[in-house]
């Protein structure tokens, strides 16, 4: 049979590597990095290669499943969707719209369905109970950027390819391949930075692969970056190193003065006593940041999912702003994605707390409530109690704190429907599972990550293989759920949801042009010019045409549109990040809000933790870690990835000595939430007083159907994560959990 090559962007992580997929007919022979992809240039990781195995995995669901008498049976789409319709209608009728909750997992951000079709579903559900993986992840950064720049989607990325000094707080891009930063082959980019005389400095309680490649690594006690960042800003002020440069006119001088006051107590010595980073190292780092011609400070999970995650995320932006590195080549900048027209983000600013969670009164942030508090909303009787859950591409039983409690709450729900590939820890609780077609059968465009790219770039990947006649595209399933939620019913045509999205976009454009008469075109004229199949592709064509590089429906013939993008199998390079802060800002006054009023109270309350805040009962602090061959919880069913990928507890030799632990011993790890056991790995790659355990494990729950994963189940670290929340951004504290460790 003749061999062909297809090209596709990998949707597994934010790096978005180009892949070359070798096919014999419709059989996938081999996957490797696409040498001609302008961003990844042939780089890919073992997970991208394993898309072949994911496609072939016999445990991956091919048809909807319905639970009957406690076990799943295969069902047709009509039957499954009708059951969803009847069940949701009954629950909403009896208990109101808030009784139906929605949880969205991480892979939604990696699909066209997630980029375009989720919003109509949320609108149709009319529920306050909307949750996602964002509140166990990046919401602190979104909230901080929302307040500073006016919109939670306006997140600057480090210009890794041009910087002289990259300072990384709490991220491990050598393993995660980058987050809120699309930079495929991050190790290669760092090598290039070092080759041009630049440096990378890493601040992390673990000596990660990123730390090992760094020019300097500073161990820091978990959860204390906020104090170190305050001390860095303290030094910048003290040594008169504030230099906002081209940003000066955009910043209120009062904000600068107030920030100076706010950090006045936080000397490097004061920070050292909490962070355990030597004060002269803090001073030296502050000076280096100030003296570097181009510097980018970047933070991720280790500065988000911690006690003061929102403050940390804000202070990192503040350092970049105060040194004039924001919106500057080699500093940090806003990507300018091809599908987001300039001016389409309203200059409204960002507010939280438009509603509150029923039980704990947590403020809504970017439309979401804290997923760490979802269980209590299920458990607590009364009006608004969650009786039903829809999950799309998520595994909250593994991803979310107090996971046993959440699992028990799921078992009590009246009805649960999951859109997912597997019967896993979460979906085993479902009444109906709706599986999308294989990843290789979907078209792809990175609606989220092109906006977080270290270089402007666009790629559309057509489906590599045709889906089967009885399979559904991801967007079709979400559109069916939207029809169900809006009362149009399970049988309604999913394409209508796509048409309605397009109609809304065209309406907006015509309105912005002063109405059809003034514009000289109608919305039908515009939509009539579109290309691509009905569904996300046509919507993408519309957005590309009105976007910053677009053909403007023919007015700019050199501009791009869907056909041009689709004719570029390796994607289109749209150039380096460039300065466009004035257009990018979405604050009502068009300024940078350096010291947002929403954060002032929290800054005032930032008190020194007591000197001995490690209670005897819980003398160690637990953090997480990622492994190159994992993708949160769901790639452990691929044999090629589950090899050499152990779920062990890292313990420093000093602590192991005190605890009498040896390599391979089983340790009991106890927190205020629960107790779990894991094998010990003694290593100097973790600082004394800190232990680490990866997340995404615990595949031994009854009723799962993931045969490979269940053979090497590991343990779910979130069983011992308490439900602590950083209220400013609704986000869970996942790192720095006080624990006791003992030989089991
Ligand atoms: N291989 C692989 N890649 C992935 C994923 C995966 O599961 N596996 N998941 C993807 C997802 S969903 C995301 S969000 C990204 C995350 O991407 P990253 O944030 O780059 O990945 P993490 O490994 O979580 O890195 C967090 C780092 O913070 C450190 N840390 C913990 N606590 C603290 C602290 O208090 N202060 C400081 N300074 N550091 C701290 C940890 O030791 C760790 O090295 O990765 C993505 N990529
Ligand atoms: N302790 C601790 N907990 C953590 C973290 C940590 O660092 N430490 N990291 C947190 C982070 S950053 C994240 S993002 C969350 C992840 O939390 P989740 O997103 O809830 O969990 P995942 O493990 O990513 O599960 C994704 C699910 O989607 C399914 N799936 C994959 N692709 C698709 C698709 O295209 N469509 C559909 N419908 N389903 C699909 C998979 O089978 C899997 O069931 O975990 C968080 N939890
Ligand atoms: S680094 Fe991320 S995008 Fe690239 S191949 Fe691996 S999983 Fe896919
Ligand atoms: Mo994440």
């Amino acid at each position: 049979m003749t061999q062909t090559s297809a090209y596709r962007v990998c949707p597994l992580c934010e790096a978005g590597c180009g892949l070359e997929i070798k096919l014999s007919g419709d059989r996938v022979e081999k996957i490797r990095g696409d040498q001609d992809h302008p961003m990844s240039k042939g780089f890919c990781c073992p997970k991208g290669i394993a898309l072949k195995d994911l496609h072939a995995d016999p445990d991956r669901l091919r048809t909807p499943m319905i639970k009957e008498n406690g076990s799943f049976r295969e069902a047709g789409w009509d039957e499954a969707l009708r059951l969803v319709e009847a069940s949701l209608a009954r629950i909403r009728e009896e208990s109101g719209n808030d009784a139906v909750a929605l949880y969205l997992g991480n892979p939604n951000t990696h699909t066209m369905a997630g980029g375009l079709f989720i919003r109509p579903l949320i609108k149709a559900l009319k529920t306050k109970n909307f949750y996602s993986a964002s509140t166990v992840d990046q919401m602190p950064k979104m909230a901080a950027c929302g307040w500073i720049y006016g919109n939670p989607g306006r997140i600057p990325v480090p210009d890794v390819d041009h910087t002289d000094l990259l300072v990384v707080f709490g991220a491990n891009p050598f393993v995660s391949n980058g987050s809120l930063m699309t930079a495929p082959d991050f190790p290669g980019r760092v090598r290039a930075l070092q080759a041009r005389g630049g440096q990378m400095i890493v601040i992390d309680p673990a000596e990660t692969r990123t730390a090992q490649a760094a020019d300097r690594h500073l161990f820091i006690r978990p959860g204390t970056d906020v104090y170190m960042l305050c001390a860095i800003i303290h030094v910048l002020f003290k040594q008169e190193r504030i230099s906002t440069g081209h940003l000066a006119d955009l910043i209120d001088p009062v904000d600068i003065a107030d920030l100076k006051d706010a950090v006045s107590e936080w000397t490097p010595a004061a920070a050292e006593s909490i962070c355990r980073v030597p004060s002269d190292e803090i001073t030296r780092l502050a000076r280096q940041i100030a003296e570097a011609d181009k510097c980018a400070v970047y933070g991720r999970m280790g500065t988000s999912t911690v006690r003061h995650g929102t403050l940390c995320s804000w202070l990192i932006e503040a350092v970049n702003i105060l040194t004039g590195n924001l919106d500057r080549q080699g500093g940090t900048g806003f990507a300018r994605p091809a599908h987001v027209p300039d001016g389409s983000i309203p200059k409204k600013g960002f507010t939280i707390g438009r509603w509150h969670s029923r039980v704990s009164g947590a403020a809504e942030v970017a439309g979401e409530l804290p997923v760490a508090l979802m269980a209590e909303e299920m458990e607590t009787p009364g009006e608004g109690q969650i009786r039903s859950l829809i999950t799309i591409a998520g595994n909250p039983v593994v991803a979310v704190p107090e996971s046993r409690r959440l699992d028990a709450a799921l078992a009590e729900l009246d009805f649960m429907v999951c859109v997912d590939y597997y019967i896993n820890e979460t979906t085993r609780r479902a009444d109906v599972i709706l599986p999308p077609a294989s990843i290789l059968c979907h078209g792809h465009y990175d609606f989220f990550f092109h906006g977080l790219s270290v270089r402007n770039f666009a790629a559309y990947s057509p489906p590599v293989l045709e889906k089967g006649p009885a399979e559904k595209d991801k967007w079709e399933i979400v559109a069916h759920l939207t029809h169900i939620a809006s009362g149009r019913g399970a049988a309604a045509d999913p394409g209508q949801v796509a048409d309605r999205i397009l109609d809304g976009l065209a309406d907006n454009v015509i309105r912005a042009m002063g109405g059809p008469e003034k514009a000289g075109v109608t919305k039908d004229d515009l939509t009539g010019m579109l290309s691509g199949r009905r569904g996300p592709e046509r919507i993408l064509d519309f957005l590309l045409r009105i976007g910053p590089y677009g053909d403007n429906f023919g007015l700019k013939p050199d501009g791009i549109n869907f056909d041009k993008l689709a004719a570029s199998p390796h994607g289109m390079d749209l150039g380096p990040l460039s300065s466009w802060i004035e257009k990018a800002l979405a604050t009502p006054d068009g300024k940078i809000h350096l010291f947002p009023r929403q954060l002032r109270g929290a800054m005032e309350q930032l008190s020194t933790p007591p000197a001995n805040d490690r209670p005897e009962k819980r003398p160690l602090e637990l953090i997480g870690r990622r492994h190159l061959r994992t993708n949160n919880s769901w790639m452990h069913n691929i044999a090629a990835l589950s090899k050499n990928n152990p779920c062990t507890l890292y313990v420093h030799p000093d602590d192991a000595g005190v605890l009498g632990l040896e390599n391979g011993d089983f340790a009991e790890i106890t927190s205020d939430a629960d107790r779990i056991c894991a094998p010990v790995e003694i290593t100097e790659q973790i600082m004394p007083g800190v232990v680490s355990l990866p997340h995404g494990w615990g595949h031994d729950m009854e009723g799962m159907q993931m045969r490979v994963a269940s053979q090497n189940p590991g343990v779910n670290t979130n069983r011992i994560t308490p439900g602590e929340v950083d209220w400013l951004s609704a986000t869970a504290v996942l790192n720095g959990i006080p624990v006791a460790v003992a030989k089991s």
Side-chain angles (χ1 to χ4, degrees):
M1 194 169 285
T2 47
Q3 282 223 345
T4 51
S5 277
Y7 297 92
R8 194 204 195 285
V9 165
C10 175
L12 294 178
C13 89
E14 300 181 34
C17 302
L19 300 177
E20 180 182 0
I21 298 161
K22 294 226 182 265
L23 300 161
S24 289
D26 60 3
R27 210 180 69 219
V28 181
E29 295 290 347
K30 195 178 167 199
I31 299 185
R32 60 173 194 177
D34 172 4
Q35 304 292 333
D36 297 319
H37 189 277
M39 291 289 286
S40 57
K41 299 184 176 133
F43 174 90
C44 75
C45 86
K47 296 187 293 297
I49 294 167
L51 276 179
K52 172 176 185 289
D53 307 307
L54 185 66
H55 178 71
D57 186 351
D59 288 341
R60 182 173 61 77
L61 300 175
R62 267 77 170 171
T63 58
M65 306 296 279
I66 290 180
K67 197 181 274 164
E68 232 165 45
N69 306 320
S71 52
F72 284 109
R73 66 162 171 88
E74 291 186 359
W77 283 98
D78 286 350
E79 185 191 6
L81 289 171
R82 275 203 314 271
L83 179 57
V84 176
E85 179 179 13
S87 309
L88 294 184
R90 175 178 53 80
I91 290 164
R92 291 168 101 198
E93 171 92 31
E94 284 168 11
S95 310
N97 292 333
D98 292 337
V100 176
L102 173 67
Y103 172 80
L104 301 177
N106 165 277
N108 284 292
T109 59
H110 297 278
T111 63
M112 294 180 84
L116 297 174
F117 286 80
I118 291 291
R119 214 181 286 189
L121 173 63
I122 294 170
K123 236 174 127 184
L125 282 170
K126 298 196 186 92
T127 176
K128 278 187 202 159
N129 282 306
F130 169 38
Y131 303 86
S132 89
S134 295
T135 58
V136 278
D137 189 350
Q138 82 291 352
M139 197 63 105
K141 188 110 132 187
M142 289 173 61
C145 290
W147 287 316
I148 307 169
Y149 308 121
N151 186 279
R154 280 284 190 243
I155 297 176
V157 292
D159 187 2
V160 191
D161 296 343
H162 301 100
T163 196
D164 297 331
L165 178 64
L166 180 64
V167 183
V168 177
F169 279 88
N172 186 11
F174 273 56
V175 169
S176 69
N177 285 301
S179 181
L180 300 184
M181 170 180 74
T182 288
D185 190 15
F186 189 81
R189 292 182 134 89
V190 169
R191 278 194 299 275
L193 157 72
Q194 289 165 330
R196 62 178 184 265
Q199 287 196 9
M200 175 170 73
I201 299 172
V202 171
I203 298 92
D204 198 304
E207 193 198 49
T208 60
R209 282 171 64 175
T210 309
Q212 284 164 1
D215 298 272
R216 199 153 85 246
H217 168 219
L218 302 170
F219 282 111
I220 186 166
R221 186 177 162 200
T224 66
D225 300 66
V226 65
Y227 307 102
M228 177 163 171
L229 286 157
C230 283
I232 288 173
I233 296 177
H234 176 99
V235 175
L236 293 176
F237 277 109
K238 183 129 190 258
Q239 301 194 350
E240 298 181 0
R241 304 281 188 151
I242 305 300
S243 165
T244 51
H246 70 300
L247 306 171
D249 289 346
L250 296 171
I251 306 168
D252 184 344
V254 175
D255 272 5
I256 299 185
D258 289 351
L259 180 52
K260 183 180 178 186
D261 277 353
V263 298
S264 61
E265 304 285 313
W266 293 108
T267 60
E272 172 178 344
S273 66
I274 306 171
C275 314
R276 293 206 258 133
V277 180
S279 61
D280 54 348
E281 287 288 359
I282 299 177
T283 307
R284 182 176 162 209
L285 179 59
R287 197 176 299 146
Q288 263 183 293
I289 291 171
E291 283 172 1
D293 183 24
K294 303 169 200 156
C295 170
V297 184
Y298 163 75
R300 231 10 302 281
M301 284 297 280
T303 52
S304 279
T305 49
V306 286
R307 184 152 305 139
H308 298 291
T310 318
L311 287 180
C312 283
S313 302
W314 158 62
L315 288 165
I316 287 172
E317 295 306 316
V319 174
N320 288 321
I321 296 166
L322 290 170
T323 51
N325 280 303
L326 170 75
D327 185 54
R328 191 166 158 257
Q329 194 181 62
T332 62
F334 298 101
R336 206 171 187 185
H339 64 278
V340 182
D342 288 346
S344 62
I345 295 186
K347 296 193 182 289
K348 282 199 308 212
F350 178 63
T351 43
I352 67 168
R354 290 168 296 171
W355 59 89
H356 292 80
S357 75
R358 187 178 57 108
V359 180
S360 288
E364 155 278 338
V365 179
E368 303 191 27
L369 294 174
V371 72
L373 303 181
M374 187 164 73
E376 68 180 23
E377 295 294 332
M378 295 175 174
E379 292 162 349
T380 313
E383 211 184 309
Q385 180 183 11
I386 297 174
R387 302 300 314 149
S388 174
L389 176 67
I390 303 171
T391 72
I392 304 178
N395 192 359
V397 167
V398 179
V400 170
E402 294 186 305
S403 49
R404 279 232 287 213
R405 181 175 169 191
L406 178 62
D407 182 52
L410 295 185
E412 298 300 314
L413 291 177
D414 283 349
F415 181 76
M416 182 164 155
V417 51
C418 297
V419 184
D420 208 288
Y421 284 132
Y422 286 105
I423 302 181
N424 64 17
E425 294 81 351
T426 297
T427 62
R428 74 194 225 285
R429 294 291 188 200
D431 298 284
V432 177
I433 307 177
L434 305 172
S438 160
I439 283 180
L440 297 179
C441 301
H442 302 275
H444 185 70
Y445 176 90
D446 270 312
F447 282 101
F448 293 95
F449 303 113
H450 285 340
L452 294 162
S453 182
V454 298
R455 215 182 145 81
N456 291 312
F457 177 73
Y460 169 74
S461 313
V464 173
L465 300 168
E466 285 280 326
K467 65 178 161 61
E471 291 183 314
K472 287 203 186 270
D473 216 314
K474 291 169 192 178
W475 70 268
E476 291 178 297
I477 301 174
V478 179
H480 276 301
L481 293 174
T482 307
H483 277 319
I484 287 171
S486 59
R488 284 188 201 93
D493 169 17
Q496 282 172 4
V497 177
D499 296 345
R500 212 162 284 134
I501 295 172
L502 209 45
D503 210 50
L505 285 169
D507 260 343
N508 288 345
V509 168
I510 301 287
R511 202 173 315 123
M513 290 164 83
E517 266 166 38
K518 205 159 162 215
V521 282
T522 66
K523 62 184 182 185
D524 290 342
D525 294 334
L526 295 183
T527 53
M529 289 163 78
L530 294 174
S531 173
R533 50 183 186 142
R534 190 176 179 218
E537 280 80 0
R538 276 168 73 78
I539 304 172
L540 174 60
D541 191 26
F542 193 97
L543 292 169
L544 290 174
R545 284 166 180 259
I546 60 169
Y549 317 89
D551 73 358
N552 231 319
F553 285 97
L555 294 179
K556 292 187 191 157
D558 292 338
I560 66 174
N561 56 35
F562 179 78
D563 285 340
K564 279 191 193 166
L565 190 60
S568 311
H570 314 289
M572 293 172 93
D573 182 29
L574 301 169
L577 300 179
S578 59
S579 167
W580 63 297
I581 184 87
E582 270 149 35
K583 275 190 182 160
L585 287 174
T587 46
D589 58 3
K591 304 271 187 208
I592 295 171
H593 293 189
L594 172 66
F595 193 175
R597 64 179 166 76
Q598 296 85 348
L599 293 170
R600 290 178 178 231
M603 259 315 268
E604 266 166 37
Q605 283 163 21
L606 191 69
S607 53
T608 317
N612 181 15
D613 65 333
R614 277 193 178 155
E616 233 167 90
K617 219 172 82 187
R618 307 262 181 267
L620 299 168
E621 282 164 327
L622 175 71
I623 61 169
R625 69 173 190 268
R626 287 176 155 76
H627 190 286
L628 190 60
R629 290 168 185 273
T630 61
N631 199 16
N632 300 320
S633 74
W634 67 282
M635 295 288 279
H636 293 153
N637 211 48
I638 306 301
L641 298 179
S642 65
K643 274 183 274 171
N644 306 322
N645 181 5
C647 178
T648 55
L649 183 76
Y650 279 7
V651 183
H652 188 271
D654 293 355
D655 294 319
V658 172
L659 298 165
L661 289 170
E662 292 187 28
N663 261 326
D665 279 352
F666 265 78
E668 206 173 63
I669 314 144
T670 310
S671 75
D672 290 346
D674 202 347
R675 173 177 305 179
I676 56 176
C677 266
V680 169
E681 198 173 330
I682 299 173
T683 171
E684 293 195 343
Q685 286 171 27
I686 193 90
M687 71 190 285
V690 180
V691 289
S692 107
L693 200 60
H695 78 287
W697 293 87
H699 311 305
D700 50 1
M701 296 184 96
E702 203 192 326
M704 283 181 63
Q705 294 182 27
M706 298 180 75
R707 284 167 288 188
V708 177
S710 300
Q711 278 164 27
N712 178 21
V715 61
N716 180 359
T717 188
N718 281 324
R719 275 180 50 187
I720 58 171
T721 311
E724 188 182 342
V725 170
D726 176 4
W727 301 103
L728 286 167
S729 58
T731 301
V733 176
L734 304 175
N735 288 293
I737 311 296
V739 292
V741 173
K743 194 165 165 171
S744 117

